[in-house]
Each structure stands twice: as C-alpha cells, then as structure tokens.
C-alpha cells in the first residue's frame, strides 16, 4: 500500500455519513478529529504545530513563520455530504510532499478553518480572518444552525490579521479539480471566477393552506420559486452560474402558507461586471414579482469575492516545469484569499467526472500521487 493510500485510509472514515459523503463541519467532532490527525502527522515529522487564534492550524518545518517560508495546505471542512477530497487532499498531499523535499526547505502546512462556510455561512472564514479581510467581531458573531456562534465554537475572540503573513515567500494550495476541464493528472490555476452568496428573504402572510382563497394569498414561496427560475434563466443568458441550494420556510408546515421563505443565491461569473449584472437582474425581476404577489424581498450580500488572478509569473513557471495546463476555476479557495497578500499558486488534481460537493467526488490514487510529486517539485524548486 502506498504512503498516500495509507494516509488516505486513516482519514477516510472520519466524518463519513451513510450517504458516502462527509459531515465535517468546522470545529465539530469530525473536523477536530482530523486536527488531531494533523498534529500526529506533524509530530511524526518533528514539525512544530501552531494555531493562529482564528481557528487555523499550522505545522512548520523549522521556525514558525520564518522569513522565506513557503506555505501549503488547504482545509478539512466539507459541505454537507460533500466528497472526501475537497480540502483534505491538499493537506494529505502537503505532508507527503514535505517528506520528499530537501530537509532544509522552510515549509509550513495549513489547515484553514471554515473554508466551505458550511457551518457559519461565510466561506474561507479562516483565511479571511488570517489576512484581515473580515472583521473579527463580525466573524465571532456568525452563528450556525443551532445558534452557536463562531466565537463560542472557537472558544475565544478571533485574533484577526497576522502580520507574519508578510514573511511568507509563497503559498501553494493543491486541490482536487471541481470542473470538467482537466484531462491530465495535474493542472495549474490561472484565476478564480468572481462569486458570492446573497441571502434572499421573501416575506408574505402566513395563512391556512386549505381555507385561504388563491386570490387572497400573499405567498412568499411563489415569489421565491419565480426568483429561482429567474436566476437560472439569467445565468444561462450571461454564460454564468447560479444556484439556490439552500432554502428555509417558516413555519415550514405542509398545511400552512409560509410567512417567510429564505433562500441563498450562489452566483458566479468569469468577470465582476457579468456577475453584477446577473445578480442585479435576478433581484430586479424577483422584486417586480414580489410586487405582484404582495410579498416583500430583502437581499443581503453575505460574502462576495471579486476577480482572483493568481501570480502569473509563478503559474507560468510552474506550468512550464510540470508541463501542465493552466486553467481557471469557478470554485473559491483559501488560496484565492491569500493571493491578495502573498505570491500564490494552485495545483489541481484531475477529477475524472468533475463532480464535487457530492459523495460522488473522486480522484484516482495515481493522479493523487502525481499531484504529490508535482507539489514536491514546486515546493523544492519553484518557490
Ligand atoms: O464553494 C466553493 O467555491 C468552494 O468549494 N468553497
Ligand atoms: Mn468546496
Ligand atoms: Mn475546497
Ligand atoms: Mn480551499
């Protein structure tokens, strides 16, 4: 059994659900167990483990944050019933790549907290705190579906921006590819599409499902349904992507017309102008429809990420050395947040079906091993 297969078998059962997908929410038992695994891997390599007060975990070969250090790694948390590769592959690969490089190479491995935003609603929360992109007070007050705040889960007020970030020579995140474009084992990221999440609250009048005449209704579920269709249509027209994958209704009873429907729009486009136009069009059409339905729409931008273009020179150098293609992605990553502060690159490992955020996500062991070799090459020679 290869070193990769061995480590993969160690973490595979942690947080796996009956669906075959994973329930690895930030700072819950499965993710905390993976952090213990992380510490054990670091100890096996005499690496020093530090935490940054934001929930991010680091393992260092040499002095923590030593000037010239290259940081690699990814995240442990998953979307509900997500695949096992999205995030953990970057951390497992980092430990195995460190085993292969020069012993005097200064390297750090990160496990960033709440990258998916699956528990507290803001993606890349740990890397946004670490880079000072989000206010620690706002982060601390974010709550999960049980009303637990991020500050409570963390057990402290988040520390916020770390000045040490300026000492890093580069950041390299390895991640499973989540599109369908990569036809060779390893690719290099050029950019991340602008993307964001908008919470849409449709307020209406709760009433009896059986006795209320259709003409007397102010049913927010109707306006919500229209908004979902508008998002789909506008995205297709714009060559962009839009999804409403999460919805809540109050009182959420079969025989009650809802008083409130809350849906989250995830929208993404190749450039910010297209993204802005897409979201504006959806909000405009849904607001017009609310006028006809006698409902009210409130839209809250929960997190928006602008254009992320990775360090071109670094990406070109890596792609040339690895003889790998360079390609954009529609998925957000911690590396996208870090790229605004440190020369940053991403390596993608082929995902034959491209399916992700699903139990069906998969990468072959051979491609994962190729990713580890590529990461070792980059850490050793190219940063
Ligand atoms: O949603 C994303 O783009 C990433 O998987 N967090
Ligand atoms: Mn993801
Ligand atoms: Mn990810
Ligand atoms: Mn990531």
């Amino acid at each position: 059994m290869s070193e990769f297969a061995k480590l993969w078998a160690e973490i595979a059962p942690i947080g796996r659900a009956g669906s075959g997908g994973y329930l690895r929410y930030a700072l819950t038992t499965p993710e905390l167990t993976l952090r213990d695994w992380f510490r054990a891997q670091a100890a096996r390599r005499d690496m020093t483990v530090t935490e940054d007060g934001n929930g991010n975990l680091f393992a260092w070969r040499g002095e923590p944050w030593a000037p010239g250090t290259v940081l690699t790694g990814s995240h442990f948390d998953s979307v509900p019933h997500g695949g096992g590769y999205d995030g953990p592959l970057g951390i497992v690969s980092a430990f195995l790549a460190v085993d292969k490089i020069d012993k005097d190479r200064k390297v750090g491995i990160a496990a960033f907290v709440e990258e998916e935003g699956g528990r507290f609603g803001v993606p890349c929360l740990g890397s946004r705190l670490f880079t000072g992109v989000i206010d620690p007070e706002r982060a601390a007050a974010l709550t999960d579906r049980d009303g637990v705040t991020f500050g409570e889960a963390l057990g402290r007020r988040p520390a916020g921006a770390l000045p040490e970030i300026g000492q890093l020579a580069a950041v390299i995140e390895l991640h499973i590819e989540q599109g369908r474009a990569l036809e060779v084992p390893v690719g290099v990221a050029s950019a991340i599409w602008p993307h964001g999440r908008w919470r849409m609250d449709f307020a209406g009048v709760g009433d009896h499902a059986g006795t209320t005449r259709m003409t007397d209704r102010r049913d927010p579920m109707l306006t919500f349904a229209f908004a979902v269709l508008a998002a789909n249509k506008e995205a297709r027209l714009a060559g962009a992507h839009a999804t409403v994958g999460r919805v809540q209704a109050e009182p959420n009873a079969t025989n009650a017309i809802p008083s409130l429907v809350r849906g989250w729009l995830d929208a993404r486009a190749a450039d910010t102008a297209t993204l802005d136009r897409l979201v504006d069009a959806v909000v405009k059409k849904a607001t017009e429809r609310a006028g006809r339905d006698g409902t009210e729409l409130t839209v809250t931008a929960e997190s928006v990420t602008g254009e992320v273009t990775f360090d071109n020179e670094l990406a070109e150098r890596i792609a040339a050395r690895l003889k790998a293609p360079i390609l954009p992605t529609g998925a957000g990553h911690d590396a996208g947040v870090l790229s605004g502060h440190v020369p940053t690159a991403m390596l993608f490992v082929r995902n034959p079906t491209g399916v992700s955020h699903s139990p069906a996500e998969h990468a072959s062991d051979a491609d994962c091993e190729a990713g580890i070799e590529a990461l070792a090459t980059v850490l050793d020679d190219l940063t």
Side-chain angles (χ1 to χ4, degrees):
M1 183 185 244
S2 72
E3 266 309 292
F4 169 74
K6 229 161 71 195
L7 263 55
W8 205 247
E10 284 175 10
I11 67 166
I14 301 170
R16 183 161 48 201
S19 61
Y22 286 87
L23 301 173
R24 291 168 170 169
Y25 304 123
L27 303 172
T28 63
T29 304
E31 204 242 12
L32 295 171
T33 307
L34 287 166
R35 287 164 178 259
D36 291 341
W37 176 88
F38 180 99
R39 290 186 186 89
Q41 290 302 315
R44 271 173 54 183
R45 295 166 175 81
D46 294 329
M47 296 176 86
T48 310
V49 173
T50 64
E51 308 208 21
D52 71 346
N54 295 309
N56 302 314
L57 196 56
F58 299 92
W60 304 97
R61 183 205 268 164
E63 211 31 53
W65 304 107
T69 296
V70 177
L71 186 66
T72 183
S74 192
H75 61 95
F76 279 133
D77 67 305
S78 73
V79 298
H81 302 283
Y85 292 83
D86 177 348
L89 180 63
I91 295 174
V92 170
S93 302
F95 279 114
L96 292 173
V98 163
D99 294 344
K100 294 173 182 285
I101 63 176
D102 265 344
K103 294 299 168 220
D104 59 4
R105 198 79 184 80
K106 290 183 283 192
V107 180
I109 298 175
F112 287 107
V113 73
E114 185 69 343
E115 191 271 353
E116 296 292 0
R119 182 175 176 192
F120 297 101
V122 171
C124 298
L125 186 60
S127 47
R128 288 175 198 254
L129 277 163
F130 168 68
T131 53
V133 167
I134 189 169
D135 172 62
E137 299 307 330
R138 177 181 170 219
L142 294 170
T143 56
D144 70 7
R145 299 178 197 195
D146 302 323
V148 177
T149 68
F150 176 67
E152 287 161 350
L154 192 58
R156 55 164 291 166
R157 177 189 180 284
L162 264 78
E164 290 88 341
I165 190 171
Q167 290 164 197
L168 296 176
V171 169
I172 312 289
E173 179 175 2
L174 179 144
H175 202 284
I176 185 169
E177 158 70 349
Q178 295 167 299
R180 288 151 176 73
L182 185 56
E183 287 166 3
V184 292
V186 176
V188 182
S190 55
I192 292 178
W193 275 24
H195 60 283
R197 304 175 177 201
W198 288 263
R199 198 186 77 222
M200 304 183 291
D201 290 344
F202 300 85
V205 175
D207 211 330
H208 194 295
T211 55
T212 313
R213 290 181 306 180
M214 296 309 279
T215 48
D216 294 341
R217 294 179 180 216
R218 296 170 62 179
D219 183 352
M221 191 63 86
L222 198 58
T223 321
F224 166 73
F226 178 84
V228 173
L229 288 171
N232 187 281
K233 184 168 172 233
E234 292 300 327
R236 289 171 186 278
L237 287 173
H241 299 169
T243 316
V244 179
R246 184 181 170 205
V247 59
Q248 290 167 352
E250 288 174 10
N252 205 24
T254 307
N255 55 354
I257 300 168
S259 52
L260 176 81
V261 174
R262 175 166 287 166
W264 280 263
L265 171 68
D266 178 315
R268 314 197 185 198
D271 58 79
T272 40
T274 304
L275 180 61
D276 294 345
R277 273 198 312 276
L278 166 59
V279 175
D280 291 348
V282 174
V283 173
K284 181 168 175 291
K285 290 193 166 196
T287 304
E288 281 163 5
R289 179 71 202 212
R292 287 183 9 225
D293 296 340
T295 57
E296 257 183 56
L297 169 59
T298 314
V299 181
T300 310
E302 287 198 336
S303 77
V304 184
T305 302
E307 237 134 65
V308 168
T309 306
F310 288 109
D311 183 308
N312 220 351
E313 187 275 327
L314 182 58
E316 298 283 351
R317 210 154 27 96
I318 293 172
R321 175 64 183 279
L322 301 178
K323 296 190 183 47
I326 298 183
L327 64 162
T329 178
H333 297 285
D334 296 308
V337 176
L338 295 163
S339 68
H341 304 265
V342 186
T344 299
M346 281 198 80
L347 296 181
F348 290 133
V349 170
R350 175 167 51 186
N351 170 344
T353 64
V355 172
S356 183
H357 286 187
S358 151
E361 178 188 78
H362 182 73
S364 70
D365 280 12
D367 285 353
C368 293
E369 314 259 5
I372 294 161
E373 284 303 327
L375 182 58
T377 302
V378 173
L379 293 177
D380 233 353
D381 297 351
L382 294 167
T383 45

